[in-house]
Amino acid sequence: MSTQTLSKTGILYLLLLSYAGITQADLLPDFGTNDEDLWKSGANLYIRLTDQDKSKKEVTPPNQHPVQLEADLVANALEGIEANSGGGFFKKKKRKTLFSLQQSRLLGQYIATGLSKARPDQDIVFVLARSEKKYVVIQNRGYTGGRVFYLDGKLHLIIGDFDHEGDRFKETVERSHGVTDVKQYFKHGRRAKPTGFKGAILAGDGVSLHIDGKKARRDWLEIDLEQAASVHLAQKAEQAAQEAPTSAAMQAEAARMARERREMRLEMAKMRKEMKSSNGDSSPQTIEQRLATLQDLRDKELISAEEYQQKREQILGEI
């Protein structure tokens, strides 16, 4: 693609943003000057170390970095956090986990790695995506961006974007000019002020909302990793215990049905063998045996009443 084509695309996009009252600064991520990628996938997904952002206070408290955290502990704590997303005049809010299982494991691994070598003046920022079914068949991809640091013995998590669909207009414009991997920009969350996060994170044991002045920040969580992880694991164990009896009952019922099917096949095979060996012999004894076998199949409910009556008439018709 030529530079001229890209330039035209960029100019058109910026003009339309300007018309909508959006500046380029509103879209740029708050990266620092000493960024280090911990994990990256494509143009838009990453977990990276960056410079600590500034709080609204004159002095931003230094983070307690470096710190040694267990990856599984972080992952289990994050996996249990839930949030309400969406909503509006015509829509109900949808309750879902803040992170998918895969996202929790990925964050657990790289947060533990990153904070083990981070300086007190560094944070971790990330953008991750997950796909889910929308309107039965269509897959909808949602991006979640956030900021992580460790302070006062807790993991702090600020959410900038949650399940954001991305800039569809930018994708349309750039893909029409042949750009396949369209660069998007998502919010990481800031200490100084909320970033317009429209969801509602559900606080619980080990997970609390950060109090900024006298106000609770709906986008900023303080996580007691030990407590949050243990509560989540206990809930998973309880759920598994509740589902176990149902699973055992279903397995027992399936085994019973399989056993009855085997018995029915054996009985039917036995009946066919006896009928074949009779070779058309219509003696009273042979007829009685066949009728007795037929009755036995009906008594065991291995054949229906209609099948029983039809076969009985057939046998009696041979007399």
Side-chain angles (χ1 to χ4, degrees), residues 30 53-55 98-99 123-126 144-149 155-161 187-197 201 210 217-223:
D30 45 347
D53 78 322
K54 303 301 179 183
S55 67
L98 187 61
F99 301 109
D123 296 336
I124 289 178
V125 293
F126 65 86
T144 296
R147 176 181 301 275
V148 179
F149 53 94
L155 187 72
H156 288 242
L157 169 64
I158 306 177
I159 297 297
D161 280 313
K187 299 173 185 175
H188 298 139
R190 294 179 178 274
R191 289 172 172 81
K193 62 178 181 178
T195 49
F197 170 60
I201 301 174
H210 175 74
R217 285 272 298 264
R218 64 191 298 176
D219 62 332
W220 187 340
L221 291 180
E222 297 183 11
I223 307 170

Side-chain angles (χ1 to χ4, degrees), residues 52-169:
Q52 182 188 50
D53 78 322
K54 303 301 179 183
S55 67
K56 61 183 178 182
K57 301 176 183 178
E58 291 184 5
V59 178
T60 304
N63 299 320
Q64 292 175 334
H65 303 163
V67 60
Q68 300 297 324
L69 302 175
E70 294 181 15
D72 286 344
L73 187 69
V74 177
N76 287 324
L78 295 178
E79 186 184 339
I81 301 173
E82 294 185 324
N84 288 327
S85 66
F89 190 76
F90 295 104
K91 297 180 180 179
K92 291 184 179 179
K93 287 188 175 181
K94 183 179 179 182
R95 181 169 177 170
K96 63 195 301 184
T97 56
L98 187 61
F99 301 109
S100 68
L101 175 61
Q102 181 182 11
Q103 289 174 330
S104 299
R105 297 293 143 191
L106 194 65
L107 283 171
Q109 177 182 349
Y110 289 104
I111 286 175
T113 300
L115 294 188
S116 69
K117 59 182 179 180
R119 301 190 309 269
D121 62 348
Q122 285 184 306
D123 296 336
I124 289 178
V125 293
F126 65 86
V127 173
L128 300 177
R130 64 176 165 187
S131 298
E132 57 184 14
K133 285 186 179 179
K134 187 176 185 182
Y135 307 125
V136 182
V137 178
I138 300 174
Q139 292 286 332
N140 183 48
R141 199 177 204 201
Y143 295 87
T144 296
R147 176 181 301 275
V148 179
F149 53 94
Y150 197 81
L151 182 64
D152 297 331
K154 293 182 178 179
L155 187 72
H156 288 242
L157 169 64
I158 306 177
I159 297 297
D161 280 313
F162 177 50
D163 274 356
H164 195 294
E165 293 185 358
D167 191 335
R168 298 291 183 85
F169 177 73

Side-chain angles (χ1 to χ4, degrees), residues 271 275 282 287 290-291 294 306-319:
M271 182 178 176
M275 292 174 65
S282 58
I287 295 295
R290 292 166 66 189
L291 288 174
L294 184 65
E306 292 79 8
E307 291 171 327
Y308 168 80
Q309 189 62 34
Q310 182 181 3
K311 197 64 184 177
R312 185 174 184 277
E313 292 175 359
Q314 179 181 342
I315 294 173
L316 293 175
E318 297 177 5
I319 299 175

Side-chain angles (χ1 to χ4, degrees), residues 156-287:
H156 288 242
L157 169 64
I158 306 177
I159 297 297
D161 280 313
F162 177 50
D163 274 356
H164 195 294
E165 293 185 358
D167 191 335
R168 298 291 183 85
F169 177 73
K170 181 180 181 182
E171 286 186 354
T172 301
V173 171
E174 295 201 11
R175 284 178 178 171
S176 68
H177 289 81
V179 180
T180 55
D181 199 2
V182 180
K183 179 65 177 175
Q184 300 268 8
Y185 295 105
F186 300 98
K187 299 173 185 175
H188 298 139
R190 294 179 178 274
R191 289 172 172 81
K193 62 178 181 178
T195 49
F197 170 60
K198 296 180 181 179
I201 301 174
L202 306 178
D205 293 332
V207 179
S208 58
L209 299 179
H210 175 74
I211 304 300
D212 191 7
K214 295 182 179 180
K215 233 175 154 185
R217 285 272 298 264
R218 64 191 298 176
D219 62 332
W220 187 340
L221 291 180
E222 297 183 11
I223 307 170
D224 183 321
L225 293 175
E226 292 279 358
Q227 186 178 6
S230 62
V231 168
H232 174 59
L233 290 175
Q235 290 174 343
K236 286 180 70 174
E238 182 180 355
Q239 183 180 358
Q242 290 174 350
E243 293 175 352
T246 303
S247 299
M250 291 176 64
Q251 290 175 3
E253 178 64 16
R256 183 189 67 79
M257 294 176 66
R259 184 172 60 254
E260 289 185 354
R261 285 195 296 269
R262 286 196 301 271
E263 291 176 354
M264 181 173 68
R265 286 196 295 269
L266 288 172
E267 292 288 351
M268 294 296 289
K270 179 181 176 183
M271 182 178 176
R272 285 195 297 270
K273 184 177 179 181
E274 290 177 351
M275 292 174 65
K276 185 176 180 180
S277 63
S278 68
N279 251 346
D281 183 5
S282 58
S283 64
Q285 184 62 33
T286 303
I287 295 295

